[in-house]
Coordinates of all heavy atoms in Angstrom, one line a residue:
M1 N 12.9 -14.8 5.7 CA 13.2 -13.4 5.4 C 12.6 -13.1 4.0 O 12.8 -13.8 3.1 CB 14.7 -13.1 5.4 CG 15.1 -11.7 5.3 SD 14.7 -10.7 6.7 CE 15.3 -9.1 6.2
V2 N 11.8 -12.0 4.0 CA 11.2 -11.6 2.7 C 12.3 -11.0 1.8 O 13.2 -10.3 2.3 CB 10.0 -10.7 3.0 CG1 10.4 -9.4 3.7 CG2 9.2 -10.4 1.8
R3 N 12.1 -11.2 0.5 CA 13.2 -10.6 -0.4 C 12.5 -9.6 -1.3 O 11.4 -9.6 -1.6 CB 13.9 -11.7 -1.2 CG 12.9 -12.4 -2.1 CD 13.6 -13.6 -2.9 NE 12.5 -14.2 -3.7 CZ 12.1 -13.8 -4.9 NH1 12.5 -12.7 -5.4 NH2 11.1 -14.4 -5.5
K4 N 13.4 -8.7 -1.7 CA 13.1 -7.6 -2.6 C 12.8 -8.2 -4.0 O 13.4 -9.1 -4.4 CB 14.3 -6.7 -2.7 CG 14.1 -5.3 -3.0 CD 15.4 -4.6 -2.7 CE 15.5 -3.3 -3.5 NZ 16.3 -2.3 -2.9
L5 N 11.8 -7.7 -4.7 CA 11.4 -8.1 -6.0 C 12.4 -7.5 -7.0 O 12.8 -6.4 -6.9 CB 10.0 -7.6 -6.4 CG 8.8 -8.4 -5.8 CD1 7.5 -7.7 -6.2 CD2 8.8 -9.8 -6.2
E6 N 12.9 -8.3 -7.9 CA 13.9 -7.9 -8.9 C 13.5 -8.3 -10.3 O 12.6 -9.1 -10.5 CB 15.3 -8.6 -8.7 CG 15.8 -8.6 -7.2 CD 16.5 -7.3 -6.9 OE1 16.6 -6.4 -7.7 OE2 17.0 -7.2 -5.7
G7 N 14.1 -7.6 -11.3 CA 14.0 -8.0 -12.7 C 12.6 -8.1 -13.2 O 11.7 -7.3 -13.0
A8 N 12.3 -9.2 -14.0 CA 11.0 -9.4 -14.7 C 9.9 -9.5 -13.7 O 8.8 -9.0 -13.9 CB 11.1 -10.6 -15.6
E9 N 10.2 -10.2 -12.6 CA 9.2 -10.4 -11.6 C 8.7 -9.1 -11.0 O 7.5 -8.9 -10.9 CB 9.9 -11.2 -10.5 CG 9.0 -11.9 -9.5 CD 9.7 -12.6 -8.4 OE1 11.0 -12.3 -8.2 OE2 9.2 -13.5 -7.8
R10 N 9.6 -8.2 -10.8 CA 9.3 -6.8 -10.3 C 8.5 -6.1 -11.4 O 7.4 -5.5 -11.1 CB 10.5 -6.1 -10.0 CG 10.4 -4.6 -10.0 CD 11.7 -3.9 -9.8 NE 12.2 -4.2 -8.4 CZ 12.1 -3.3 -7.4 NH1 11.7 -2.1 -7.6 NH2 12.5 -3.6 -6.2
A11 N 8.9 -6.1 -12.6 CA 8.2 -5.4 -13.7 C 6.8 -5.9 -13.9 O 5.9 -5.1 -14.1 CB 9.0 -5.6 -15.0
E12 N 6.6 -7.2 -13.9 CA 5.3 -7.8 -14.0 C 4.4 -7.4 -12.8 O 3.2 -7.1 -13.1 CB 5.4 -9.3 -14.1 CG 5.7 -9.8 -15.4 CD 6.2 -11.3 -15.4 OE1 5.8 -12.1 -14.6 OE2 7.0 -11.6 -16.3
A13 N 4.9 -7.4 -11.6 CA 4.2 -7.1 -10.5 C 3.7 -5.6 -10.6 O 2.5 -5.3 -10.3 CB 5.0 -7.3 -9.2
L14 N 4.6 -4.7 -11.0 CA 4.2 -3.3 -11.1 C 3.2 -3.1 -12.2 O 2.3 -2.3 -12.0 CB 5.5 -2.4 -11.3 CG 6.5 -2.3 -10.1 CD1 7.8 -1.6 -10.5 CD2 5.8 -1.6 -9.0
A15 N 3.4 -3.8 -13.3 CA 2.5 -3.6 -14.4 C 1.1 -4.1 -14.1 O 0.1 -3.7 -14.6 CB 3.0 -4.4 -15.6
S16 N 1.0 -5.1 -13.1 CA -0.3 -5.6 -12.7 C -1.1 -4.6 -11.8 O -2.2 -4.9 -11.4 CB -0.1 -7.0 -12.0 OG 0.4 -6.8 -10.7
L17 N -0.4 -3.6 -11.4 CA -1.1 -2.6 -10.5 C -1.1 -1.2 -11.1 O -0.3 -0.3 -10.7 CB -0.4 -2.6 -9.1 CG -0.5 -3.8 -8.3 CD1 0.5 -3.7 -7.1 CD2 -1.9 -4.0 -7.7
P18 N -1.9 -1.0 -12.1 CA -1.8 0.3 -12.9 C -2.2 1.5 -12.1 O -1.8 2.6 -12.5 CB -2.8 0.1 -14.0 CG -3.7 -1.0 -13.6 CD -2.9 -1.9 -12.7
D19 N -2.9 1.4 -11.0 CA -3.3 2.5 -10.2 C -2.3 2.9 -9.2 O -2.4 4.0 -8.5 CB -4.6 2.3 -9.5 CG -5.8 2.1 -10.5 OD1 -5.8 2.8 -11.5 OD2 -6.6 1.2 -10.2
W20 N -1.2 2.2 -9.1 CA -0.1 2.4 -8.1 C 1.1 2.9 -8.8 O 1.4 2.5 -10.0 CB 0.2 1.2 -7.3 CG -0.9 0.8 -6.4 CD1 -2.0 0.1 -6.8 CD2 -1.0 1.0 -5.0 NE1 -2.8 -0.1 -5.7 CE2 -2.2 0.4 -4.6 CE3 -0.2 1.6 -4.1 CZ2 -2.6 0.4 -3.2 CZ3 -0.5 1.6 -2.7 CH2 -1.8 1.0 -2.3
T21 N 1.8 3.9 -8.2 CA 3.0 4.5 -8.8 C 4.3 4.1 -8.0 O 4.3 4.1 -6.8 CB 2.9 6.0 -8.7 OG1 1.7 6.4 -9.4 CG2 4.1 6.7 -9.4
H22 N 5.3 3.7 -8.8 CA 6.5 3.3 -8.1 C 7.2 4.6 -7.6 O 7.3 5.6 -8.2 CB 7.5 2.6 -9.1 CG 8.7 2.1 -8.4 ND1 10.0 2.6 -8.8 CD2 9.0 1.3 -7.4 CE1 10.9 2.0 -8.0 NE2 10.3 1.2 -7.1
E23 N 7.7 4.5 -6.3 CA 8.3 5.6 -5.7 C 9.8 5.2 -5.5 O 10.1 4.4 -4.6 CB 7.6 5.9 -4.3 CG 7.8 7.3 -3.8 CD 9.1 7.5 -3.2 OE1 9.4 6.8 -2.2 OE2 10.0 8.2 -3.8
P24 N 10.7 5.7 -6.3 CA 12.1 5.2 -6.3 C 12.9 5.5 -5.0 O 13.7 4.7 -4.7 CB 12.7 5.9 -7.5 CG 11.8 7.0 -7.9 CD 10.5 6.7 -7.3
K25 N 12.6 6.6 -4.4 CA 13.4 6.9 -3.2 C 13.3 5.9 -2.1 O 14.3 5.5 -1.5 CB 13.0 8.3 -2.6 CG 13.8 9.5 -3.1 CD 13.5 10.7 -2.3 CE 13.5 11.9 -3.3 NZ 12.6 13.0 -2.9
R26 N 12.1 5.4 -1.9 CA 11.8 4.4 -0.8 C 11.8 3.0 -1.4 O 11.7 2.0 -0.7 CB 10.5 4.7 -0.1 CG 10.5 6.0 0.7 CD 11.4 6.0 1.9 NE 11.2 4.8 2.7 CZ 10.2 4.7 3.5 NH1 9.3 5.6 3.7 NH2 10.1 3.6 4.3
D27 N 11.7 2.9 -2.7 CA 11.4 1.7 -3.5 C 10.2 1.1 -2.9 O 10.1 0.0 -2.4 CB 12.6 0.7 -3.4 CG 12.3 -0.5 -4.4 OD1 11.6 -0.3 -5.3 OD2 12.9 -1.6 -4.1
G28 N 9.1 1.9 -3.1 CA 7.8 1.4 -2.7 C 6.8 1.8 -3.8 O 7.1 2.2 -4.8
I29 N 5.5 1.6 -3.5 CA 4.4 2.0 -4.4 C 3.4 2.9 -3.6 O 3.2 2.7 -2.4 CB 3.7 0.8 -5.0 CG1 3.3 -0.3 -3.9 CG2 4.6 0.1 -6.1 CD1 2.5 -1.4 -4.5
T30 N 2.9 3.9 -4.4 CA 2.0 4.8 -3.7 C 0.7 4.9 -4.5 O 0.6 4.7 -5.7 CB 2.6 6.3 -3.7 OG1 2.8 6.7 -5.1 CG2 3.9 6.3 -3.0
R31 N -0.4 5.2 -3.7 CA -1.6 5.4 -4.3 C -2.4 6.4 -3.5 O -2.4 6.3 -2.2 CB -2.5 4.2 -4.6 CG -3.8 4.5 -5.3 CD -4.6 3.2 -5.7 NE -5.8 3.7 -6.3 CZ -6.8 2.9 -6.6 NH1 -6.7 1.6 -6.6 NH2 -8.0 3.5 -7.1
S32 N -3.1 7.3 -4.1 CA -4.0 8.3 -3.3 C -5.4 7.9 -3.5 O -5.9 7.6 -4.7 CB -3.7 9.7 -3.9 OG -4.2 10.6 -3.1
F33 N -6.2 7.9 -2.5 CA -7.6 7.5 -2.5 C -8.5 8.7 -2.1 O -8.1 9.3 -1.0 CB -7.9 6.3 -1.6 CG -7.2 5.0 -2.0 CD1 -5.9 4.8 -1.6 CD2 -7.8 4.1 -2.8 CE1 -5.2 3.6 -1.9 CE2 -7.1 2.9 -3.1 CZ -5.8 2.7 -2.7
K34 N -9.5 9.0 -2.8 CA -10.4 10.1 -2.4 C -11.8 9.6 -2.1 O -12.3 8.7 -2.9 CB -10.4 11.1 -3.6 CG -10.5 12.5 -3.1 CD -10.0 13.5 -4.0 CE -10.0 14.8 -3.3 NZ -9.8 15.9 -4.2
F35 N -12.4 10.1 -1.1 CA -13.8 9.7 -0.7 C -14.7 10.9 -0.6 O -14.3 12.0 -0.7 CB -13.6 9.0 0.7 CG -12.7 7.8 0.7 CD1 -11.4 7.9 0.8 CD2 -13.3 6.5 0.3 CE1 -10.5 6.8 0.7 CE2 -12.4 5.4 0.2 CZ -11.1 5.6 0.4
A36 N -16.0 10.6 -0.3 CA -17.0 11.6 -0.3 C -16.7 12.6 0.9 O -16.9 13.7 0.9 CB -18.4 11.0 -0.1
D37 N -16.2 12.0 2.0 CA -16.0 12.8 3.2 C -15.0 12.0 4.2 O -14.6 11.0 3.9 CB -17.3 13.1 3.9 CG -18.1 11.8 4.2 OD1 -17.5 10.7 4.3 OD2 -19.4 11.9 4.2
F38 N -14.8 12.6 5.3 CA -13.8 12.1 6.3 C -14.3 10.7 6.8 O -13.5 9.8 7.0 CB -13.7 13.0 7.5 CG -12.8 12.5 8.6 CD1 -11.4 12.3 8.4 CD2 -13.4 12.0 9.8 CE1 -10.6 11.8 9.4 CE2 -12.6 11.5 10.8 CZ -11.2 11.4 10.6
T39 N -15.6 10.6 7.1 CA -16.2 9.3 7.6 C -15.8 8.1 6.7 O -15.5 7.1 7.2 CB -17.7 9.4 7.9 OG1 -17.9 10.6 8.7 CG2 -18.3 8.2 8.5
R40 N -16.0 8.4 5.4 CA -15.8 7.3 4.4 C -14.3 7.0 4.4 O -13.9 5.8 4.3 CB -16.2 7.7 3.0 CG -17.7 8.0 2.9 CD -18.5 6.7 2.8 NE -19.9 7.0 2.8 CZ -20.8 6.2 2.3 NH1 -20.5 5.1 1.7 NH2 -22.1 6.5 2.3
A41 N -13.5 8.1 4.4 CA -12.0 7.9 4.4 C -11.5 7.1 5.6 O -10.7 6.2 5.5 CB -11.3 9.2 4.3
F42 N -12.1 7.4 6.7 CA -11.6 6.8 8.0 C -12.1 5.3 8.0 O -11.4 4.4 8.5 CB -12.0 7.6 9.2 CG -11.2 7.2 10.4 CD1 -10.0 7.9 10.5 CD2 -11.6 6.3 11.3 CE1 -9.1 7.5 11.6 CE2 -10.8 6.0 12.4 CZ -9.5 6.6 12.5
G43 N -13.3 5.1 7.5 CA -13.9 3.7 7.4 C -13.0 2.8 6.5 O -12.7 1.7 6.9
F44 N -12.5 3.4 5.4 CA -11.6 2.7 4.5 C -10.3 2.4 5.3 O -9.8 1.3 5.2 CB -11.3 3.6 3.3 CG -10.2 3.1 2.4 CD1 -10.4 2.1 1.6 CD2 -9.0 3.8 2.4 CE1 -9.3 1.7 0.7 CE2 -8.0 3.4 1.6 CZ -8.2 2.3 0.7
M45 N -9.8 3.4 6.0 CA -8.5 3.1 6.8 C -8.7 2.1 7.8 O -7.8 1.2 8.0 CB -8.1 4.5 7.5 CG -7.6 5.5 6.5 SD -7.2 7.1 7.2 CE -5.6 6.7 7.8
T46 N -9.9 2.0 8.4 CA -10.1 1.0 9.4 C -10.1 -0.4 8.8 O -9.5 -1.4 9.3 CB -11.5 1.2 10.1 OG1 -11.5 2.5 10.7 CG2 -11.8 0.2 11.2
S47 N -10.7 -0.5 7.6 CA -10.7 -1.8 6.9 C -9.3 -2.2 6.5 O -8.9 -3.4 6.6 CB -11.6 -1.8 5.6 OG -12.9 -1.4 6.0
V48 N -8.5 -1.2 6.0 CA -7.1 -1.5 5.6 C -6.3 -1.9 6.8 O -5.5 -2.8 6.7 CB -6.5 -0.2 4.9 CG1 -5.0 -0.5 4.7 CG2 -7.2 0.0 3.6
A49 N -6.6 -1.3 7.9 CA -5.8 -1.6 9.1 C -6.0 -3.0 9.6 O -5.1 -3.7 10.0 CB -6.2 -0.6 10.3
I50 N -7.3 -3.5 9.4 CA -7.6 -4.9 9.8 C -6.9 -5.9 8.9 O -6.3 -6.8 9.3 CB -9.1 -5.1 9.8 CG1 -9.8 -4.3 11.0 CG2 -9.5 -6.6 9.9 CD1 -11.3 -4.2 10.9
L51 N -6.9 -5.6 7.6 CA -6.2 -6.4 6.6 C -4.6 -6.4 6.9 O -4.0 -7.4 6.9 CB -6.2 -5.7 5.2 CG -7.4 -6.0 4.3 CD1 -7.2 -5.3 3.0 CD2 -7.6 -7.5 4.1
A52 N -4.1 -5.2 7.2 CA -2.7 -5.1 7.4 C -2.2 -5.8 8.6 O -1.2 -6.5 8.6 CB -2.3 -3.6 7.6
E53 N -3.0 -5.8 9.7 CA -2.7 -6.5 10.9 C -2.7 -8.0 10.7 O -1.8 -8.7 11.2 CB -3.6 -6.0 12.0 CG -3.2 -6.4 13.4 CD -1.8 -6.0 13.9 OE1 -1.2 -5.2 13.2 OE2 -1.4 -6.5 14.8
K54 N -3.7 -8.4 10.0 CA -3.8 -9.9 9.7 C -2.6 -10.4 8.9 O -2.1 -11.5 9.1 CB -5.1 -10.2 8.8 CG -6.3 -10.4 9.7 CD -7.5 -10.9 8.8 CE -8.8 -10.9 9.6 NZ -9.9 -10.6 8.7
A55 N -2.2 -9.5 7.9 CA -1.0 -9.9 7.1 C 0.3 -9.6 7.7 O 1.3 -9.9 7.2 CB -1.1 -9.1 5.7
D56 N 0.3 -8.9 8.9 CA 1.5 -8.4 9.5 C 2.3 -7.6 8.5 O 3.6 -7.8 8.4 CB 2.3 -9.6 10.1 CG 3.4 -9.1 11.1 OD1 3.2 -8.0 11.6 OD2 4.4 -9.8 11.2
H57 N 1.7 -6.8 7.8 CA 2.3 -5.9 6.8 C 1.6 -4.6 6.8 O 0.4 -4.6 6.6 CB 2.4 -6.6 5.5 CG 3.4 -5.9 4.5 ND1 4.7 -6.0 4.8 CD2 3.2 -5.2 3.4 CE1 5.3 -5.3 3.8 NE2 4.4 -4.8 3.0
H58 N 2.3 -3.5 7.1 CA 1.6 -2.3 7.5 C 1.9 -1.1 6.5 O 3.1 -0.9 6.1 CB 2.0 -1.9 8.9 CG 1.6 -3.0 9.9 ND1 2.5 -4.0 10.2 CD2 0.5 -3.3 10.5 CE1 1.9 -4.8 11.1 NE2 0.7 -4.4 11.3
P59 N 0.9 -0.3 6.2 CA 1.1 0.8 5.3 C 1.8 2.0 6.0 O 1.6 2.2 7.2 CB -0.3 1.1 4.8 CG -1.2 0.8 6.0 CD -0.5 -0.5 6.6
E60 N 2.4 2.8 5.2 CA 2.8 4.1 5.7 C 1.8 5.0 5.0 O 1.6 4.9 3.8 CB 4.2 4.5 5.2 CG 5.3 3.6 5.8 CD 6.7 4.0 5.4 OE1 6.9 5.2 5.1 OE2 7.5 3.1 5.4
W61 N 1.1 5.9 5.8 CA 0.0 6.6 5.2 C -0.3 7.9 5.9 O 0.2 8.1 7.0 CB -1.3 5.7 5.1 CG -1.8 5.1 6.4 CD1 -1.3 5.3 7.7 CD2 -2.8 4.1 6.5 NE1 -2.0 4.6 8.6 CE2 -2.9 3.8 7.9 CE3 -3.7 3.5 5.6 CZ2 -3.9 2.9 8.4 CZ3 -4.6 2.6 6.1 CH2 -4.7 2.3 7.5
S62 N -1.1 8.7 5.2 CA -1.6 9.9 5.8 C -3.0 10.2 5.4 O -3.4 9.7 4.3 CB -0.7 11.1 5.5 OG -0.7 11.4 4.2
N63 N -3.7 10.9 6.2 CA -5.1 11.2 5.8 C -5.3 12.7 6.0 O -4.9 13.3 7.1 CB -6.0 10.4 6.8 CG -7.4 11.0 6.9 OD1 -7.9 11.4 8.0 ND2 -8.1 11.2 5.8
V64 N -5.9 13.4 5.0 CA -6.3 14.8 5.2 C -7.8 14.8 4.7 O -8.1 14.6 3.5 CB -5.5 15.7 4.3 CG1 -6.1 17.2 4.5 CG2 -4.1 15.7 4.8
Y65 N -8.7 15.0 5.7 CA -10.2 15.0 5.4 C -10.6 13.8 4.6 O -10.8 12.7 5.2 CB -10.6 16.4 4.8 CG -12.1 16.4 4.4 CD1 -13.0 16.1 5.4 CD2 -12.5 16.8 3.1 CE1 -14.4 16.1 5.1 CE2 -13.8 16.9 2.9 CZ -14.8 16.6 3.8 OH -16.1 16.6 3.5
N66 N -10.8 14.0 3.3 CA -11.4 12.8 2.5 C -10.4 12.1 1.7 O -10.7 11.3 0.8 CB -12.5 13.4 1.6 CG -12.0 14.4 0.5 OD1 -10.9 14.9 0.7 ND2 -12.8 14.6 -0.5
R67 N -9.1 12.4 1.9 CA -8.0 11.8 1.1 C -7.1 10.9 2.0 O -6.8 11.3 3.1 CB -7.2 12.9 0.5 CG -6.3 12.4 -0.7 CD -5.5 13.6 -1.3 NE -4.3 13.8 -0.4 CZ -3.9 15.0 0.0 NH1 -4.6 16.1 -0.4 NH2 -2.8 15.1 0.7
V68 N -6.8 9.8 1.4 CA -5.9 8.9 2.1 C -4.7 8.5 1.1 O -4.9 8.1 0.0 CB -6.6 7.5 2.5 CG1 -5.6 6.6 3.2 CG2 -7.8 7.8 3.4
D69 N -3.5 8.9 1.6 CA -2.3 8.6 0.7 C -1.6 7.5 1.4 O -1.2 7.5 2.6 CB -1.4 9.8 0.7 CG -2.0 11.1 0.0 OD1 -2.7 10.8 -1.0 OD2 -1.9 12.2 0.5
I70 N -1.3 6.4 0.5 CA -0.6 5.2 1.0 C 0.7 5.0 0.3 O 0.8 5.1 -0.9 CB -1.6 4.0 0.8 CG1 -2.9 4.2 1.6 CG2 -0.9 2.7 1.3 CD1 -3.8 3.0 1.6
L71 N 1.7 4.6 1.1 CA 3.0 4.1 0.5 C 3.2 2.7 1.1 O 3.1 2.5 2.3 CB 4.2 5.0 1.0 CG 5.5 4.4 0.7 CD1 5.9 4.5 -0.8 CD2 6.6 5.1 1.5
L72 N 3.4 1.8 0.2 CA 3.7 0.4 0.6 C 5.2 0.1 0.3 O 5.6 0.2 -0.9 CB 2.8 -0.6 -0.1 CG 1.3 -0.4 0.1 CD1 0.5 -1.4 -0.7 CD2 0.9 -0.5 1.6
T73 N 5.9 -0.3 1.3 CA 7.3 -0.8 1.0 C 7.6 -1.7 2.1 O 6.9 -1.8 3.2 CB 8.3 0.4 1.0 OG1 9.6 0.0 0.6 CG2 8.4 1.1 2.4
T74 N 8.6 -2.5 2.0 CA 8.9 -3.6 3.0 C 10.2 -3.2 3.7 O 11.3 -3.3 3.1 CB 9.0 -5.0 2.3 OG1 7.8 -5.2 1.6 CG2 9.3 -6.1 3.3
H75 N 10.1 -2.9 5.0 CA 11.2 -2.5 5.7 C 12.2 -3.6 5.9 O 13.4 -3.4 5.8 CB 10.8 -2.0 7.1 CG 9.6 -1.0 7.1 ND1 8.5 -1.2 7.8 CD2 9.4 0.1 6.3 CE1 7.6 -0.2 7.5 NE2 8.2 0.5 6.6
D76 N 11.7 -4.8 6.1 CA 12.5 -6.0 6.3 C 13.3 -6.4 5.0 O 14.3 -7.2 5.1 CB 11.7 -7.2 6.7 CG 11.0 -7.0 8.0 OD1 11.4 -6.1 8.8 OD2 10.0 -7.7 8.3
A77 N 12.9 -5.9 3.8 CA 13.6 -6.2 2.6 C 14.2 -5.0 2.0 O 14.9 -5.0 1.0 CB 12.6 -6.7 1.5
D78 N 14.1 -3.8 2.7 CA 14.7 -2.6 2.3 C 14.2 -2.2 0.8 O 14.9 -1.7 0.0 CB 16.2 -2.7 2.3 CG 16.8 -1.3 2.4 OD1 16.1 -0.4 3.0 OD2 18.0 -1.1 2.0
G79 N 12.9 -2.5 0.6 CA 12.4 -2.1 -0.7 C 11.1 -2.9 -1.1 O 10.5 -3.5 -0.2
L80 N 10.8 -2.9 -2.3 CA 9.5 -3.5 -2.8 C 9.6 -5.1 -2.7 O 10.5 -5.7 -3.3 CB 9.2 -3.1 -4.2 CG 7.9 -3.5 -4.8 CD1 6.8 -2.6 -4.1 CD2 7.9 -3.2 -6.3
S81 N 8.5 -5.7 -2.1 CA 8.5 -7.1 -2.0 C 7.1 -7.6 -2.4 O 6.2 -6.7 -2.6 CB 8.8 -7.7 -0.6 OG 7.6 -7.5 0.2
Q82 N 6.9 -8.9 -2.5 CA 5.6 -9.5 -2.9 C 4.6 -9.1 -1.9 O 3.4 -8.9 -2.2 CB 5.7 -11.0 -3.0 CG 4.5 -11.7 -3.5 CD 4.1 -11.2 -4.9 OE1 5.0 -11.1 -5.8 NE2 2.9 -11.0 -5.2
R83 N 5.0 -8.8 -0.6 CA 4.0 -8.4 0.5 C 3.3 -7.1 0.1 O 2.2 -6.9 0.4 CB 4.7 -8.3 1.8 CG 5.1 -9.6 2.4 CD 5.6 -9.5 3.8 NE 6.3 -10.8 4.1 CZ 7.0 -10.9 5.2 NH1 7.2 -9.9 6.0 NH2 7.6 -12.1 5.5
D84 N 4.1 -6.2 -0.5 CA 3.5 -4.9 -0.9 C 2.5 -5.1 -2.0 O 1.4 -4.5 -2.0 CB 4.6 -4.0 -1.4 CG 5.7 -3.8 -0.3 OD1 5.2 -3.4 0.9 OD2 6.9 -4.0 -0.5
I85 N 2.9 -6.0 -3.0 CA 2.0 -6.3 -4.1 C 0.7 -6.9 -3.6 O -0.4 -6.5 -4.0 CB 2.7 -7.2 -5.1 CG1 4.0 -6.6 -5.6 CG2 1.8 -7.5 -6.3 CD1 4.0 -5.2 -6.2
D86 N 0.8 -7.8 -2.7 CA -0.4 -8.5 -2.2 C -1.3 -7.5 -1.4 O -2.5 -7.6 -1.5 CB 0.0 -9.7 -1.3 CG 0.7 -10.8 -2.0 OD1 0.6 -10.8 -3.3 OD2 1.4 -11.6 -1.4
L87 N -0.7 -6.7 -0.6 CA -1.5 -5.7 0.2 C -2.1 -4.7 -0.7 O -3.3 -4.4 -0.5 CB -0.6 -5.0 1.3 CG -1.3 -4.1 2.2 CD1 -2.5 -4.9 2.9 CD2 -0.4 -3.5 3.3
A88 N -1.4 -4.3 -1.7 CA -2.0 -3.3 -2.7 C -3.2 -3.9 -3.4 O -4.2 -3.2 -3.5 CB -0.9 -2.9 -3.8
R89 N -3.1 -5.2 -3.8 CA -4.3 -5.9 -4.4 C -5.4 -5.9 -3.4 O -6.6 -5.7 -3.8 CB -3.9 -7.3 -4.8 CG -3.0 -7.3 -6.0 CD -3.3 -8.5 -6.9 NE -2.3 -8.4 -8.0 CZ -1.2 -9.1 -8.0 NH1 -0.8 -9.9 -7.1 NH2 -0.3 -8.8 -9.0
A90 N -5.2 -6.3 -2.2 CA -6.3 -6.3 -1.2 C -6.9 -5.0 -0.9 O -8.1 -4.9 -0.8 CB -5.7 -7.0 0.1
I91 N -6.1 -3.9 -0.9 CA -6.6 -2.6 -0.7 C -7.4 -2.2 -1.9 O -8.5 -1.6 -1.7 CB -5.4 -1.6 -0.5 CG1 -4.7 -1.9 0.9 CG2 -5.9 -0.1 -0.6 CD1 -3.4 -1.1 1.1
D92 N -7.0 -2.5 -3.1 CA -7.7 -2.1 -4.3 C -9.1 -2.8 -4.3 O -10.1 -2.2 -4.7 CB -7.0 -2.6 -5.6 CG -5.9 -1.6 -6.0 OD1 -5.8 -0.5 -5.4 OD2 -5.1 -2.0 -6.9
A93 N -9.2 -4.0 -3.8 CA -10.4 -4.7 -3.7 C -11.4 -4.1 -2.7 O -12.6 -4.3 -2.8 CB -10.2 -6.2 -3.4
L94 N -10.9 -3.3 -1.8 CA -11.7 -2.7 -0.8 C -12.3 -1.4 -1.3 O -13.3 -0.9 -0.7 CB -10.9 -2.3 0.5 CG -10.5 -3.4 1.5 CD1 -9.6 -2.8 2.6 CD2 -11.8 -4.0 2.1
F95 N -11.7 -0.8 -2.2 CA -12.0 0.6 -2.7 C -13.2 0.6 -3.6 O -13.3 -0.2 -4.5 CB -10.8 1.2 -3.3 CG -11.0 2.7 -3.7 CD1 -11.3 3.6 -2.8 CD2 -10.9 3.1 -5.0 CE1 -11.5 4.9 -3.1 CE2 -11.1 4.4 -5.4 CZ -11.4 5.4 -4.5
Ligands
H2B1 C1 8.1 -8.4 13.2 C2 7.1 -8.0 12.1 O1 6.8 -9.2 11.4 C3 7.8 -7.0 11.1 O2 8.3 -5.9 11.8 C4 6.7 -6.6 10.0 C5 5.6 -5.8 10.5 N1 5.0 -4.9 9.4 C6 5.8 -4.6 8.4 N2 5.3 -3.7 7.5 C7 6.0 -3.3 6.5 N3 5.5 -2.4 5.6 N4 7.2 -3.7 6.2 C8 7.8 -4.7 7.0 O3 9.0 -5.1 6.8 C9 7.1 -5.1 8.1 N5 7.5 -6.0 9.0

């Protein structure tokens, strides 16, 4: 069972992802991505979907034209876990 990040471990993980914002209501992290157009945005989503399926860890997200908004949180832990941090890093590397 995956566990929620706590204390210093959580603080360090959040500090290591400066482009992501902690979302306290869901205890997740969010980031908004902007692209030249819809095709680029959807291509990015396709790449993220492949990563997410491999990791068995899935984003909550929405897309409007050239923008993709992502929230990462761990349902199985009821909040932020290392899985969210790892997926955020992998997503950042794609952008
Ligand atoms: C059974 C399966 O491993 C789980 O339901 C996975 C799937 N994807 C998931 N994605 C996210 N974001 N959180 C989870 O807890 C989660 N759990």
Side-chain angles (χ1 to χ4, degrees):
M1 185 71 179
V2 61
R3 65 182 176 80
K4 208 164 152 157
L5 286 174
E6 310 275 4
E9 197 182 16
R10 158 185 290 257
E12 277 162 31
L14 290 172
S16 76
L17 292 170
D19 296 322
W20 293 77
T21 303
H22 183 242
E23 202 285 293
K25 267 191 215 150
R26 298 289 312 282
D27 190 23
I29 50 176
T30 62
R31 183 173 174 187
S32 191
F33 296 86
K34 216 158 188 189
F35 298 88
D37 53 27
F38 175 75
T39 304
R40 299 281 178 155
F42 203 83
F44 170 76
M45 292 177 81
T46 304
S47 301
V48 172
I50 291 165
L51 275 184
E53 191 55 14
K54 272 191 195 147
D56 192 28
H57 196 66
H58 302 90
E60 296 182 29
W61 56 6
S62 64
N63 160 239
V64 178
Y65 178 49
N66 64 342
R67 199 181 78 228
V68 179
D69 296 320
I70 299 184
L71 168 76
L72 301 177
T73 187
T74 302
H75 314 128
D76 297 343
D78 205 25
L80 189 72
S81 79
Q82 188 60 44
R83 289 188 193 168
D84 301 307
I85 304 303
D86 294 344
L87 185 56
R89 286 214 181 94
I91 291 172
D92 281 352
L94 283 177
F95 184 58

